[in-house]
C-alpha cells in the first residue's frame, strides 16, 4: 500500500547525542515536510523540501538538519544543539497540496 | 506567521453545530483543514484556494475570504466521530504550510 513510513515510533536518547528520524514515502510525491508537535503548540514546521537535493528551513530549524538525496526519503537529524528535543515529530508528503502524514516518531531525551 | 485559530476549545452535544475560525496576518495562497484524533496523525479534510470558494460535504464545509485572510470550518449536526483537534494550515507563496495551534472539539452524547 502507498503511504509514509516513519521510524522509529518511539526513541529515547541521552542528552548530547544526535539522533536521526527516518521518513520514507512511496507515493511519488515531490514535496516533503517535517513538523514538530508539542502540547498546545500545534504543528510547527522544521524543514521542507520541494524537490530532490533542495530543502528550506521552516520556523524552528535551529538544532535540526535534513537531507533529500532521494525522492522517497527525507531523514531528520536532531542534533545536540537542539535545546528541547523531547517532542512528537511528524513527517508529511504532498503533491497537489494535500498533506499525507506518517504515524509520527516520539522522541524522549533522558 | 502562525495563523490564529478560535476558539481554542469547544464542547458540544451530539447534533449541535460548530464554527472554527482561522485568520492570518499575511496574504494567503490557500488554507488547509485537518483533524487529529488523540495519538494519531492528522487527517486531511479539505483545501481551499484563493477565490473565496466554499467547499466541503453536507455536514463539514469551509469558506475562505482571501480579502480578510480568514477561513472558517463549519460542522453541522455534529457526530461523536467529529471529536478531535482541528488544525488550519495556511500556505503562502513560498510553499510553506504553517499550522495554527488547533481547536479541541469534544462531542458529548
Amino acid at each position: 500500500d502507498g503511504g509514509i513510513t516513519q521510524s522509529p515510533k518511539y526513541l529515547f536518547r541521552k542528552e548530547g547525542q544526535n539522533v536521526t528520524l527516518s521518513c520514507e514515502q512511496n507515493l511519488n510525491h515531490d514535496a516533503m515536510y517535517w513538523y514538530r508537535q508539542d502540547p498546545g503548540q500545534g504543528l510547527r514546521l522544521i524543514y521542507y523540501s520541494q524537490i530532490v537535493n533542495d530543502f528550506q528551513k521552516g520556523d524552528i530549524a535551529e538544532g535540526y538538519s535534513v537531507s533529500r538525496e532521494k525522492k522517497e526519503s527525507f531523514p531528520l537529524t536532531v542534533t545536540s544543539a537542539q535545546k528541547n528535543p523531547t517532542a512528537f515529530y511528524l513527517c508529511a508528503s504532498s503533491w497537489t497540496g494535500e498533506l499525507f502524514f506518517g504515524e509520527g516518531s516520539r522522541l524522549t531525551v533522558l | 506567521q502562525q495563523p490564529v485559530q478560535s476558539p481554542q476549545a469547544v464542547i458540544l452535544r451530539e447534533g449541535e453545530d460548530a464554527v472554527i475560525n482561522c485568520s492570518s496576518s499575511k496574504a494567503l495562497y490557500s488554507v488547509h483543514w485537518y483533524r487529529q484524533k488523540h495519538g494519531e496523525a492528522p487527517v486531511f479534510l479539505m483545501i481551499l484556494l484563493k477565490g473565496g470558494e466554499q467547499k466541503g460535504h453536507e455536514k463539514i464545509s469551509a469558506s475562505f475570504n482571501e480579502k480578510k485572510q480568514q477561513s472558517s470550518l463549519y460542522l453541522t449536526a455534529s457526530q461523536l466521530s467529529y471529536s478531535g483537534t482541528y488544525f488550519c494550515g495556511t500556505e503562502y507563496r513560498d510553499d510553506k504550510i504553517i499550522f495554527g495551534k488547533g481547536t479541541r472539539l469534544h462531542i458529548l452524547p
Side-chain angles (χ1 to χ4, degrees):
Chain A
D1 283 1
I4 298 181
T5 302
Q6 288 187 242
S7 62
K9 194 168 184 178
Y10 299 96
L11 184 62
F12 298 87
R13 78 152 214 219
K14 293 182 180 179
E15 278 189 22
Q17 290 180 334
N18 292 354
V19 62
T20 297
L21 307 180
S22 170
C23 178
E24 302 280 331
Q25 55 104 353
N26 59 5
L27 299 167
N28 201 33
H29 289 170
D30 286 318
M32 296 188 75
Y33 302 78
W34 273 107
Y35 290 91
R36 168 181 170 141
Q37 188 170 28
D38 297 283
Q41 296 298 317
L43 290 83
R44 292 185 289 170
L45 183 63
I46 305 173
Y47 271 97
Y48 64 109
S49 168
Q50 297 295 321
I51 197 169
V52 175
N53 291 323
D54 189 36
F55 49 82
Q56 287 77 41
K57 293 182 179 180
D59 295 333
I60 56 166
E62 186 176 348
Y64 300 98
S65 66
V66 293
S67 63
R68 187 83 188 277
E69 296 176 2
K70 298 186 300 182
K71 189 175 186 177
E72 309 79 43
S73 180
F74 192 40
L76 173 74
T77 296
V78 185
T79 74
S80 56
Q82 169 49 234
K83 295 178 182 177
N84 186 19
T86 294
F88 187 53
Y89 292 89
L90 284 161
C91 178
S93 71
S94 171
W95 179 52
T96 58
E98 174 185 348
L99 290 178
F100 293 81
F101 285 91
E103 294 296 309
S105 292
R106 188 168 297 280
L107 172 63
T108 302
V109 175
L110 304 172
Chain B
Q1 289 189 12
Q2 189 174 32
V4 177
Q5 285 187 236
S6 63
Q8 288 185 327
V10 183
I11 299 176
L12 298 176
R13 292 218 172 265
E14 201 172 4
E16 293 182 334
D17 301 340
V19 180
I20 300 172
N21 300 303
C22 175
S23 64
S24 172
S25 57
K26 274 179 66 173
L28 295 172
Y29 179 70
S30 69
V31 178
H32 301 222
W33 286 98
Y34 293 79
R35 177 172 61 213
Q36 184 181 31
K37 294 191 178 282
H38 185 69
E40 299 180 8
V43 173
F44 175 79
L45 293 176
M46 65 191 75
I47 182 172
L48 299 101
L49 304 178
K50 284 176 64 173
E53 62 181 294
Q54 183 149 352
K55 294 185 68 173
H57 305 287
E58 186 179 319
K59 293 189 175 181
I60 300 179
S61 62
S63 62
F64 178 23
N65 186 327
E66 64 180 271
K67 285 186 179 179
K68 292 186 177 180
Q69 293 156 191
Q70 293 176 347
S71 177
S72 294
L73 184 71
Y74 306 95
L75 303 165
T76 306
S78 58
Q79 305 169 7
L80 293 175
S81 62
Y82 288 2
S83 290
T85 301
Y86 289 78
F87 293 99
C88 73
T90 48
E91 185 175 3
Y92 306 98
R93 278 294 178 188
D94 55 5
D95 295 325
K96 288 166 61 173
I97 302 174
I98 307 297
F99 286 90
K101 293 186 177 183
T103 296
R104 295 187 308 280
L105 176 64
H106 188 62
I107 310 294
L108 300 172

